[in-house]
Amino acid sequence: MVTSAYWRTRLHRYRLVGNRCAVCGKAFFPPRLVCSYCGSTKLEECKLPERGRLVEYTVVYSAPKGYDVVVPYVVGIVELENGVRVVAQITDVDVNEVKEGMEVELTIRKLPEQLEGGMICYTYKFRPVIG
Amino acid sequence: MRDVAVISVGYTRVSEHWEKSLKGLFVEASLKALESAGLSARSLDGVYVANALSGYIQGQTNLANVLADSLGLYDKFAISIDAGGASGALAIHEAYMDVAHGIRDLVLVCGVEKMSEASPQDVVSALTSAQDQEQFKYTGITVHSLAALIYKAYLKRYKARQEDVALMSVVDHEHALTCSHAQYPFKLSVEAIMDSAFLAEPVRVLEAPSPGDGAAAIIMCPHEMAKELGLPHVRVAASEVARDRINPMEREDLLAMRALVEASRRAYEKAKVKPSDLSFAELYDDYSVMGVIALERLGLCDPGGGVELLKRGEVTLKGSVPVNTFGGLKARGAPLGAVGVYQAVEAFLQLTNNAGQNQVKGARVGLTHTSCGFNSVVVINLFEVCC
Ligand SMILES: [Zn+2]
């Protein structure tokens, strides 16, 4: 992917900004151009809650190019406080200690440098809430 | 609409064909299909090419035009169909529609894929590239991890054991033992599966296909023409396509597989058959659990009942609903865009009584289920004996 594509997606990757349909109220992450429930194009940017619960997870051992240097890593479905579901990496947790139902929060982390030929990229991940 | 028949098939073994190019595989399968019908390439009205990854792995785009040219068909209609794993069956669907509606008469459908030229990491990237890259590229989510989340949901909802779900792969390997075009014609035990590494927990390496190369071709024409040509043939009884949200995580129910239910319902209705009438079914088991879910959502048993069918041996060649009669995706192999055409080839072999040791006795009607993106695109093709 080229640098402009990385730049273009910065809002959702750095700040967890999705959007919401002004007609039917459905929220989306990543943001959509057309509501996939009612077909409306009236979509308003909305910042998503940064906390949620880990609904389900898996540990990845066979990874795509770039990510193969960081296996094993955890990927899971996070249900945010407003009910929106985000699929993301779960970080700062041992693969043997990750648990369903865990409280998690947003954190911005560096991606493997191998992913974009040495370019340093960041993205959203979730980590367990301490205490 | 005209009745449509399949009059001939040609195929290569699924393997790592280091000595053969994408073009070489395509030409080999296509010429075999033409030869066995006694037809020349020049007699074709069009070529439908199914492929998913050539743009990614070989850097070859504009595939239909390049491949049709390589067959000497520089001036005939040619089109490529790319819908990931569903490409092959979707190409058959398109060819079927064109012949049925009188747009073309004699057509060749060839699915071809060459995955052995990519590294294992590249294959994961290539398979995952079928999902929306704005979301997937920067998260490290893989197709295997989506399968894992579906697998966990299945085990939980139906209180199933992985050892039982994995029987799907065991059956595939059992059927591949006597299949000359299978990539992995050897026995596989549940123990070996459970001892294999994880792709993404709980999905084991031996519950999913490995990258393979292969090409499969079929020739289709109006039923009347098939009779005039005096060739053994089978009738396309239905070809139905349905779609669902591409990212399974956005579906309300991870296990409902609405497109699979919808496409098969319409196909049964069109062909006037019930699931219990099927002589056999070729399932898109890109993961063992996806094969089990397919058994259920095709109506061969109730939701959650797939594991019981497997345990009772009902899906083996001698069972009541034989599936993956030549080894399915796991053992015949899964050259991605070609899978749907391999399934059609196998249905043809069964229904013309040419399946050798894999023959389902008295086979009358067979179903192929082909999908991509965890049944986000589902093609159900039904073939039946006629005349
Ligand atoms: Zn809406």
Side-chain angles (χ1 to χ4, degrees):
Chain A
M1 213 171 274
V2 291
T3 315
S4 64
Y6 176 72
W7 171 80
R8 201 165 57 234
T9 52
R10 66 198 180 283
L11 264 187
H12 88 252
R13 272 184 304 98
Y14 292 170
R15 298 193 45 230
L16 213 64
V17 171
N19 60 10
R20 182 180 293 281
C21 175
V23 176
C24 76
K26 203 79 190 166
F28 301 104
F29 184 85
R32 280 185 172 271
L33 303 170
V34 177
C35 174
S36 67
Y37 286 82
C38 75
S40 147
T41 52
K42 291 197 183 69
L43 290 147
E44 295 158 351
E45 217 168 69
C46 79
K47 169 83 179 79
L48 295 171
E50 297 190 356
R51 277 205 180 200
R53 197 173 55 85
L54 182 62
V55 177
E56 190 57 275
Y57 70 91
T58 175
V59 183
V60 175
Y61 290 88
S62 173
K65 202 170 44 176
Y67 290 95
D68 52 325
V69 293
V70 293
V71 291
Y73 57 87
V74 181
V75 159
I77 308 169
V78 175
E79 188 168 294
L80 301 173
E81 281 166 347
N82 66 349
V84 172
R85 288 185 167 202
V86 175
V87 184
Q89 262 190 61
I90 313 301
T91 189
D92 297 5
V93 65
D94 189 281
V95 296
N96 298 308
E97 281 164 15
V98 57
K99 278 191 191 69
E100 261 169 61
M102 234 178 198
E103 294 291 319
V104 292
E105 62 185 9
L106 177 71
T107 178
I108 304 301
R109 290 299 169 88
K110 193 160 91 65
L111 285 164
E113 285 169 35
Q114 289 83 348
L115 190 65
E116 291 286 31
M119 187 171 98
I120 309 288
C121 300
Y122 293 86
T123 198
Y124 55 91
K125 294 188 184 181
F126 287 83
R127 67 179 172 201
V129 176
I130 312 291
Chain B
M1 269 176 61
R2 304 190 287 187
D3 262 2
V4 179
V6 179
I7 56 170
S8 180
V9 301
Y11 49 96
T12 71
R13 186 183 164 192
V14 180
S15 183
E16 291 184 15
H17 289 289
W18 295 340
E19 76 291 2
K20 288 173 190 169
S21 65
L22 190 72
K23 205 191 297 175
L25 292 164
F26 167 82
V27 169
E28 182 178 331
S30 299
L31 288 182
K32 277 182 182 167
L34 287 162
E35 272 160 31
S36 101
L39 295 165
S40 74
R42 297 296 308 166
S43 62
L44 294 169
D45 296 316
V47 181
Y48 298 72
V49 174
N51 172 275
L53 303 175
S54 76
Y56 194 101
I57 296 178
Q58 280 80 28
Q60 180 64 66
T61 62
N62 196 21
L63 194 62
N65 294 315
V66 171
L67 294 185
D69 191 89
S70 74
L71 204 56
L73 300 177
Y74 58 89
D75 56 348
K76 301 280 181 136
F77 172 84
I79 190 169
S80 326
I81 309 286
D82 161 23
S87 306
L90 196 57
I92 293 172
H93 174 80
E94 289 299 298
Y96 163 78
M97 293 301 275
D98 286 354
V99 174
H101 287 102
I103 294 166
R104 270 170 277 281
D105 289 327
L106 192 65
V107 300
L108 172 80
V109 182
C110 184
V112 58
E113 201 76 73
K114 188 160 178 62
M115 302 167 78
S116 69
E117 283 172 342
S119 70
Q121 297 89 326
D122 269 329
V123 169
V124 181
S125 300
L127 294 174
T128 303
S129 74
Q131 288 283 334
D132 180 358
Q133 289 306 286
E134 274 196 9
Q135 183 175 3
F136 281 67
K137 171 90 181 195
Y138 295 114
T139 54
I141 307 169
T142 62
V143 277
H144 302 323
S145 56
L146 296 179
L149 294 168
I150 292 172
Y151 206 152
K152 282 182 120 176
Y154 184 89
L155 295 176
K156 223 173 271 181
R157 184 175 305 174
Y158 300 114
K159 299 183 176 52
R161 295 165 60 226
Q162 181 168 8
E163 289 82 347
D164 295 333
V165 174
L167 286 171
M168 191 77 231
S169 305
V170 175
V171 168
D172 278 5
H173 276 263
E174 205 173 297
H175 292 174
L177 270 177
T178 45
C179 168
S180 58
H181 62 277
Q183 186 175 15
Y184 300 119
F186 54 78
K187 260 190 182 301
L188 183 65
S189 68
V190 172
E191 293 71 30
I193 293 170
M194 297 304 289
D195 280 345
S196 65
F198 289 122
L199 291 172
E201 211 178 330
V203 181
R204 303 274 181 178
V205 170
L206 292 178
E207 289 181 282
S210 296
D213 307 339
I218 64 172
I219 297 175
M220 297 165 87
C221 67
H223 188 219
E224 288 306 314
M225 185 190 281
K227 285 194 282 189
E228 283 161 24
L229 289 168
L231 291 166
H233 58 273
V234 304
R235 203 175 77 90
V236 182
S239 177
E240 293 292 326
V241 182
R243 294 183 55 248
D244 198 351
R245 294 181 191 281
I246 188 159
N247 182 346
M249 299 303 135
E250 291 179 7
R251 300 176 198 160
E252 251 132 69
D253 180 349
L254 259 186
L255 303 177
M257 305 298 165
R258 284 167 43 179
L260 173 49
V261 173
E262 175 62 15
S264 55
R265 184 190 63 75
R266 292 203 309 248
Y268 293 144
E269 200 177 289
K270 192 86 154 270
K272 297 187 180 66
V273 296
K274 303 183 296 296
S276 58
D277 296 329
L278 298 178
S279 309
F280 62 91
E282 300 299 329
L283 311 178
Y284 198 84
D285 60 333
D286 50 349
Y287 299 92
S288 62
V289 70
M290 295 308 295
V292 175
I293 293 173
L295 279 174
E296 300 169 3
R297 301 296 166 174
L298 283 169
L300 297 169
C301 60
D302 290 330
V307 158
E308 269 311 303
L309 279 192
L310 284 167
K311 280 162 61 179
R312 292 204 313 263
E314 301 289 356
V315 301
T316 60
L317 290 172
K318 291 190 173 61
S320 58
V321 271
V323 305
N324 300 349
T325 61
F326 289 87
L329 272 69
K330 174 68 191 77
R332 171 241 293 123
L336 199 62
V339 168
V341 189
Y342 272 99
Q343 293 172 316
V345 162
E346 291 160 353
F348 182 88
L349 295 176
Q350 289 291 358
L351 297 170
T352 53
N353 214 12
N354 280 307
Q357 291 186 71
N358 294 58
Q359 186 64 49
V360 173
K361 296 269 177 310
R364 300 287 307 169
V365 52
L367 174 149
T368 64
H369 156 235
T370 326
S371 92
C372 86
F374 305 94
N375 293 310
S376 73
V377 179
V378 176
V379 185
I380 300 293
N381 289 331
L382 279 173
F383 302 92
E384 68 177 11
V385 171
C386 59
C387 302

